[in-house]
Amino acid sequence: MRIAIVAESFLPLMNGVTHSILRVLDHLQERGDEVLVIAPSAHDGEAAEVKGAEVHRLPSVPLAGYTNVRVALGGVYRVKRILAEYAPEVVHLASPFVLGWRAAQAASQLGIPTVAVYQTEVPGYAARYGVPFLENWAWNRVENIHLLATRTLVPSTFALNQLRGRGIPRVRMWRRGVDTARFSPEKRDDGWRAAVAPNGERIIGYVGRLAVEKQVEDLAALSGMPNTRLVIVGDGPQRTALETALPRAVFTGFLGGEELARAVASLDLFVHPGEFETFCQTIQEAMASGVPVVATGRGGPLDLVENSRTGWLYEPGDLSAMRARVQDLVGDDAKRRAFAAAAPASVQDRTWPVLCKELVQHYRDVLAAVPASPQKMSRAGAAS
């Protein structure tokens, strides 16, 4: 198959969108597909090829207040020209919003089917970033993109209902995979635990970007909890402010590869306070690592965390409930171990190879649904 992936963000920025694209590229390379990735320029560490895929960079500018996130410049015509020259059979729109909107229009004009992956609840970020008046505009943009898409893929029941409730047709579920070899209870490291909690404290962890929409500052509600150590894994524009707000927490900075797997498996409890997760990959990685989860009861966590079995969900904004749920697990070793034992089994059928095969089937489905073009029909008639 010949595929163009239009990435709203890509390497060297590592986030949930980039991670998903890289795993998809692994699978498509293994299949022998031809792939072009269209992404914003980065100015550092730019590769012309990633995992067998050609990468076409568009000029970009940094996003205000979040300089390592870049927004591609240019109009629909530029993207249309790239797609026309490459001539893909299908266009994959990865978390489309700015560049993805141009690509959706360009592909539509060229008659190329599109699979749009809804992965980021951008409209929900508006209030968190102090611009609530932009929320309606942002939803309008999201609706326009997905109305134009041949098929929309969502990662959770919450996202499915959210888009269908806004009148978006042709929506299907496509969850995220997890590397159960990399993220495993076997990666638990007593040496790492002793380094961050030398007095044997129970280790409560958060893993993810340190950005406003992640609401990491809510973890201040856990301060003063006896015999606990809070560990924050990740980096981002909020790090300095969070180090001030959470003075007793251990900040590891960004971790990847085996370092990340070891850190996650060495936690006693994973807490995720963000309310705008369409999925939440880090929750799934924690569960694969045998770590119980406490998370806000909105968005992707609703599908991932099973109350009273693999963790606890709390009402969004109810930080006293979050603290009570955390206290329940750090204070009861037997219950925490039971939750930890149940967590890995709950994600064993969500490996990336399985999920990527599903994605390729979605590509096939949209290709099969495309009617023959007038040019093809006229050629067929002439041949007969």
Side-chain angles (χ1 to χ4, degrees):
M1 206 177 291
R2 194 168 172 85
I3 303 150
I5 297 177
V6 181
E8 205 68 44
S9 62
F10 194 53
L11 294 172
L13 177 65
M14 190 49 124
N15 55 24
V17 176
T18 303
H19 177 75
S20 294
I21 293 170
L22 293 176
R23 300 317 298 262
V24 168
L25 290 178
D26 282 333
H27 186 76
L28 298 179
Q29 182 181 37
E30 189 177 304
R31 279 172 37 89
D33 296 309
E34 296 179 57
V35 185
L36 171 69
V37 176
I38 303 171
S41 64
H43 300 308
D44 59 332
E46 289 189 1
E49 186 176 293
V50 174
K51 296 183 181 291
E54 177 190 348
V55 181
H56 187 116
R57 298 282 186 172
L58 292 173
S60 67
V61 293
L63 184 66
Y66 205 162
T67 54
N68 63 337
V69 175
R70 303 190 67 85
V71 179
L73 299 173
V76 175
Y77 176 75
R78 175 176 288 186
V79 180
K80 184 177 178 180
R81 190 180 61 208
I82 296 166
L83 291 178
E85 184 177 328
Y86 187 71
E89 295 171 79
V90 64
V91 175
H92 172 138
L93 306 174
S95 195
F97 193 73
V98 179
L99 177 56
W101 171 226
R102 297 174 197 145
Q105 295 173 84
S108 177
Q109 291 170 20
L110 292 167
I112 305 170
T114 51
V115 172
V117 180
Y118 177 67
Q119 194 164 339
T120 309
E121 192 185 333
V122 176
Y125 292 4
R128 298 293 305 172
Y129 279 89
V131 285
F133 53 88
L134 290 179
E135 184 173 358
N136 287 338
W137 171 84
W139 270 121
N140 204 30
R141 167 62 58 83
V142 169
E143 290 167 5
N144 286 337
I145 290 169
H146 293 284
L147 285 169
L148 203 56
T150 312
R151 175 170 293 188
T152 289
L153 302 181
V154 295
S156 63
T157 305
F158 180 90
L160 183 77
N161 293 333
Q162 188 179 47
L163 291 194
R164 284 183 173 171
R166 301 193 76 90
I168 306 300
R170 304 180 298 280
V171 183
R172 303 288 188 276
M173 187 82 80
W174 181 59
R175 301 186 189 277
R176 297 294 172 272
V178 62
D179 186 340
T180 53
R182 178 180 166 204
F183 292 97
S184 162
E186 295 176 4
K187 303 294 177 70
R188 190 175 177 89
D189 186 325
D190 289 337
W192 187 92
R193 288 175 56 78
V196 301
N199 298 314
E201 299 96 333
R202 297 288 174 246
I203 302 174
I204 303 166
Y206 164 85
V207 179
R209 285 182 296 115
L210 306 186
V212 171
E213 70 273 11
K214 299 297 183 179
Q215 299 173 239
V216 186
E217 69 278 4
D218 287 356
L219 298 178
L222 305 179
S223 63
M225 190 173 289
N227 194 36
T228 63
R229 171 71 72 183
L230 180 62
V231 176
I232 308 294
V233 179
D235 211 341
Q238 291 295 105
R239 179 167 177 174
T240 301
L242 289 168
E243 286 176 333
T244 300
L246 305 166
R248 296 190 66 252
V250 175
F251 286 79
T252 70
F254 176 82
L255 298 179
E258 286 302 306
E259 268 193 309
L260 176 61
R262 181 171 64 250
V264 174
S266 300
L267 303 175
D268 291 303
L269 182 64
F270 182 91
V271 182
H272 198 289
E275 297 173 16
F276 299 102
E277 298 294 327
T278 57
F279 186 73
C280 199
Q281 180 68 6
T282 54
I283 285 181
Q284 190 164 243
E285 290 167 352
M287 295 172 75
S289 304
V291 179
V293 174
V294 173
T296 185
R298 184 186 186 276
L302 291 167
D303 285 354
L304 295 172
V305 181
E306 187 177 343
N307 263 325
S308 195
R309 184 171 176 270
T310 60
W312 291 114
L313 296 170
Y314 63 91
E315 286 293 321
D318 190 348
L319 301 188
S320 62
M322 177 180 75
R323 182 182 173 97
R325 293 306 196 187
V326 170
Q327 183 66 68
D328 174 65
L329 289 175
V330 298
D332 188 332
D333 291 347
K335 181 185 289 187
R336 190 179 65 255
R337 290 190 190 109
F339 282 27
S346 70
V347 297
Q348 286 305 307
D349 62 341
R350 298 179 185 172
T351 63
W352 273 110
V354 170
L355 272 296
C356 286
K357 286 177 182 176
E358 288 183 10
L359 177 63
V360 170
Q361 187 58 53
H362 286 298
Y363 292 164
R364 290 195 182 109
D365 289 348
V366 298
L367 276 169
V370 175
S373 68
Q375 292 86 351
K376 288 181 180 177
M377 291 176 68
S378 63
R379 284 197 298 267
S384 64

